[in-house]
Amino acid sequence: MKTGIVLLFLATAVFAGSQSSQAAGKREPKADLSSCVTSVQAAWGLTFKHDIASFMGVSQERMPALFCQRIAEGLHSGRISYSDINNLQLDQPTEIWMVIKGKAKAATQAPAPRNPKFRTCNGTTGTFQIPVSRKCPLSGYANY
């Protein structure tokens, strides 16, 4: 599976390079996905293709084209950046998996409105508020 991840990284990096060269040529951002699809079909093993198709929720026949399309749209929209590719290589969290899966960008939760009588503390189960007269506990629990 680790080899498959490296191949995924290489395919993404090759595709990202072709995207930047197209942008330099002042062409329409619509990408020619044939080289990406060809590299996915040729470089990936059958098991890895099956795993990615299953992850994406599509058939193995549709997977290469849809994978490349989602990567292209992610790069074009800015959801995927070069730091995501580096994070993928370093086994760190990245938005690239949500893009490949076809999920919309996760909505960020708005912070609670500020109240001058309370302070917001970070705890082990999330944020909580305590009166301003008290300090936030170091343990993350509001009760001692």
Side-chain angles (χ1 to χ4, degrees):
M1 189 66 175
K2 185 70 171 173
T3 305
I5 300 297
V6 171
L7 291 174
L8 173 66
F9 165 71
L10 291 174
T12 305
V14 167
F15 187 71
S18 69
Q19 283 293 101
S20 62
S21 66
Q22 286 181 359
K26 304 285 185 192
R27 287 191 218 165
E28 183 67 26
K30 186 92 169 170
D32 177 25
L33 302 177
S34 61
S35 63
C36 176
V37 171
T38 303
S39 68
V40 167
Q41 290 172 336
W44 292 0
L46 186 60
T47 304
F48 187 65
K49 287 181 200 175
H50 175 62
D51 290 344
I52 293 294
S54 177
F55 174 75
M56 293 173 63
V58 298
S59 68
Q60 282 185 303
E61 294 78 27
R62 287 192 56 218
M63 185 275 299
L66 192 56
F67 171 83
C68 293
Q69 178 186 354
R70 287 178 180 173
I71 293 292
E73 289 172 0
L75 289 167
H76 182 67
S77 69
R79 282 187 68 191
I80 299 175
S81 65
Y82 288 108
S83 65
D84 288 316
I85 296 170
N86 290 335
N87 289 344
L88 179 68
Q89 191 177 24
L90 299 172
D91 291 332
Q92 295 177 346
T94 177
E95 179 78 10
I96 198 167
W97 298 112
M98 295 300 285
V99 171
I100 292 170
K101 185 111 173 132
K103 298 284 185 180
K105 189 170 186 172
T108 57
Q109 185 177 4
R114 294 190 60 107
N115 185 334
K117 295 181 181 182
F118 294 93
R119 82 174 66 225
T120 303
C121 300
N122 293 320
T124 56
T125 58
T127 60
F128 58 92
Q129 291 186 338
I130 60 173
V132 172
S133 61
R134 293 177 53 197
K135 291 183 179 180
C136 289
L138 294 176
S139 66
Y141 292 99
N143 298 325
Y144 291 103

